[in-house]
Amino acid sequence: MTTEARQYTVAELEGLGKTTGLQDSLYVLRRWPLVPFFILAVLVVCALFAPWLAPHDPEADQLRAVIASPAWYPPCEDGQISNKVQSCNTNGIPLGRDEKVYTFFLGADQLGRDLLSRIIYGARISLTFASIAIAVGVVVGTTLGLVAGYYGGLVDELVMRFTDVFTALPYIIVAISIVIVLGQNFYVIILVLALASWPGIVRLVRGQTLQVRNFDYIALAYVAGASTPRIMLNHLLPAVGNTIVVAMTLQVGSTILTESILAFLGAGVPPPTPSWGADISNGREYLGSAWWVAFFPGMAIFLTVLSFNFIGDWLRDRWDPRLRQI
Amino acid sequence: MKVFIARRLVLVIIAIIASTLIVFSLSRFQGGDPRYLMLNVGYTSPEIWDAWGDRLHLDKPLVVQYFIWLWNVVSKLDFGDSIKTSQPATEMIWQFAPASLQLGACAWLFVMVTGIPIGILSAVKRGTVWDAVGRTFALFGQALPPFWLGIMLILIFAVNLDWLPAGTRGHGVEWPGRLLYYIMPTVTLGWLASATVMRMVRSSMLEVLDSEFVKLARAKGVSQTSVIWKHAFRNALIPPLTVSVLILAGFIGGTVVTETVFAWPGLGFMVYQAINNIDFPVITAAVMVATVLTVMAIFLLDVLYALVDPRIRYT
């Protein structure tokens, strides 16, 4: 019994390796997280150029426009407004009939402040907090991790137990307590957010350092008379650099989430400064009549965190396959 | 083994003492005098002010104050009385704990029932649609702000569709029907944790499926079902189980966000109100409960591992 080999025509053979345009683009999308990069680019532009991009003043009340619906939302009452670009409040009264037309692309909140502008300015707050807090967390975490991993023994034990204690504390409760006691200001919030980010980095850096420390080049550096700070900064730090960058990226998403949780619970930047989490908290009161007040800031957080997590995963796969398990 | 357990116990005690230090210093932060937080300075007579001072032993040095506080906590479980309600903080913990326990147990079940199967499916059918669905589930869980998720669930299922009740714990409702009240809080609380567990199951399954002994089993002709469940699953379950115990401890200790969104009368809800009233006895009690739960969970896991896994050295 023989099986006949399938005969390919030349055309078929040429077609085998070819992919359609759609497949190509899907492949590119999988290899490069273009959509997350795009979202982040928009976010960064918003944060940098908020005053020029925002259509309204994010902190200006407009009491005629309290919980006004988004401009594209179905008109309030039939026939009441012909101009679709207008917004109206929930009573069905078109806004600015008298002298001025207010347009709220994403609606307005309970004080009539433009939600789109608040989201654009909120990007500023979120990104600033996240980047500074992570920078602080990374510096502290890396230093402690390097020291613990390099010295080992008692130092290692002390640092790691200290880290364990911080991990075991109920973070949200302690964080809000600190903010309430020390006051709701920029530095306190940075401190609290940094508290969340350093223990994870200590563990990662320590783990990597423990491995790298035993490599021959470290021993050689020691024999050659390099001082301890030199070994740590010039020899150990570059070896754990990739891990740190990946851990940082993965941390951005969760820091932004934490910041929004704190803001939601009333321990964020004080009002009227726009903050995504606080805006959701405001919108909660108006769920039945104005869903957009809580919905859009939440979407902003969701998309931002999703993008950062995506990019973090992608970076980890590319740069640091050892970490894949997390 | 005994030495190992003793050593771990010492570490547990050190961790708990360290956390009491942190918590205590928090309550003495504002100028070192908690009376500024507790009493309204302008409206308090000097007698009352001094009486509170005596009661809190403020005339003694800070170190002595700490040891008095610690002694009360250790010997009588006395964290002091709530400033708002004058009820002993320990009593309040007992009063609010059942709700957290019930919700925590439900959410933990949800985490196990979703996280583990989705993780396995995702790993076994790697690269297929199933995998994509599973990973999307995890990505969403890790990116959705929990409070927003809760609010949106209320908006969709309670306000618009009117399918699920929200805002109460279903007091007085007969039991099977009362479960409806648990659905939204459970999902809100559990999704993030479920995503974590799913990712861990997936990666550890992938690792085990790639190992030599699974290849050997396959080469022997063991069926796919048997390979997945008997060989791979058992070995891949350890890391996610570890995390799940810590998750349970965290849930039971009270979750501020979910309980606040759903007005769920648990420890998280209690402590959030206490924070807004700057009610330090209650805050410290809640923080200590949560910390001790977590530390004990870690301790039990360590001991359990040492018992089960002979490769762990007793150091």
Side-chain angles (χ1 to χ4, degrees), chain B residues 39-181:
Chain B
L39 307 171
N40 192 333
V41 181
Y43 293 88
T44 310
S45 67
E47 289 80 34
I48 298 180
W49 188 262
D50 290 341
W52 272 92
D54 282 348
R55 205 166 140 192
L56 295 164
H57 307 283
L58 291 180
D59 50 335
K60 304 187 176 73
L62 210 55
V63 186
V64 179
Q65 286 178 37
Y66 168 72
F67 280 111
I68 292 173
W69 176 82
L70 189 66
W71 174 247
N72 284 337
V73 170
V74 174
S75 61
K76 314 180 268 202
L77 274 180
D78 177 16
F79 287 92
D81 296 345
S82 160
I83 295 162
K84 182 86 179 164
T85 62
S86 310
Q87 205 183 353
T90 323
E91 211 178 286
M92 287 181 74
I93 296 276
W94 285 117
Q95 185 189 331
F96 284 93
S100 278
L101 202 68
Q102 287 164 0
L103 178 60
C106 283
W108 191 75
L109 268 178
F110 171 78
V111 170
M112 294 291 102
V113 168
T114 54
I116 293 178
I118 295 176
I120 294 173
L121 192 71
S122 205
V124 173
K125 310 227 173 212
R126 189 185 187 177
T128 63
V129 180
W130 293 106
D131 190 17
V133 171
R135 291 172 72 173
T136 310
F137 170 82
L139 274 170
F140 272 50
Q142 285 179 322
L144 282 167
F147 56 94
W148 186 68
L149 173 65
I151 291 174
M152 287 300 123
L153 286 177
I154 292 176
L155 174 66
I156 296 170
F157 294 106
V159 177
N160 284 343
L161 297 176
D162 203 13
W163 285 354
L164 296 171
T168 64
R169 201 152 65 94
H171 212 71
V173 182
E174 285 301 312
W175 249 108
R178 205 161 152 186
L179 275 179
L180 285 180
Y181 289 83

Side-chain angles (χ1 to χ4, degrees), chain A residues 161 170 173 177-178 180-181 257 260-261 264-265 280 284 287 291 294-295 298-299 301 306 310 313 316 325, chain B residues 11 26 29-30 139 142-145 147-148 151 155 199 203 207 257 260-261 272 275 280 283 287 290-291:
Chain A
R161 290 297 83 79
I173 302 178
S177 309
I178 293 178
I180 299 283
V181 171
L257 263 188
S260 72
I261 288 175
F264 174 78
L265 293 172
I280 295 175
R284 217 181 130 194
L287 261 195
W291 54 269
F295 178 77
M299 269 321 263
I301 301 173
L306 193 67
F310 238 105
D313 281 353
R316 183 185 54 197
Q325 291 190 42
Chain B
L11 288 181
L26 204 63
F29 235 107
Q30 215 159 37
L139 274 170
Q142 285 179 322
L144 282 167
F147 56 94
W148 186 68
I151 291 174
L155 174 66
R199 287 181 70 135
S203 63
E207 199 180 315
V257 174
T260 307
V261 169
Y272 181 55
I275 290 171
F280 263 107
I283 300 174
V287 170
T291 312

Side-chain angles (χ1 to χ4, degrees), chain A residues 14 45 50 63 74 100 104 106 109-110 135 186 195 207-208 220 225 231 250 253 259 265 267 291 296 319 325:
Chain A
E14 276 177 348
V45 169
L63 292 179
K100 197 173 156 197
F104 300 105
L106 297 181
D109 69 2
Q110 82 285 0
F186 186 79
L195 277 184
Q208 296 276 312
L220 279 175
I231 292 180
L250 285 171
E259 193 267 333
L265 293 172
W291 54 269
F296 290 115
W319 284 10
Q325 291 190 42

Side-chain angles (χ1 to χ4, degrees), chain A residues 53-56 68-73 84-88 95 102-109 113-120 291-292 296:
Chain A
L53 287 173
H56 294 266
S69 61
W72 40 268
Y73 205 56
K84 277 279 280 179
V85 193
Q86 276 183 338
S87 290
C88 47
L95 291 166
Y102 302 106
T103 51
F104 300 105
F105 188 67
L106 297 181
D109 69 2
R113 299 174 296 196
D114 179 36
L115 271 174
L116 177 62
S117 307
R118 287 186 73 76
I119 289 174
I120 291 174
W291 54 269
W292 48 89
F296 290 115

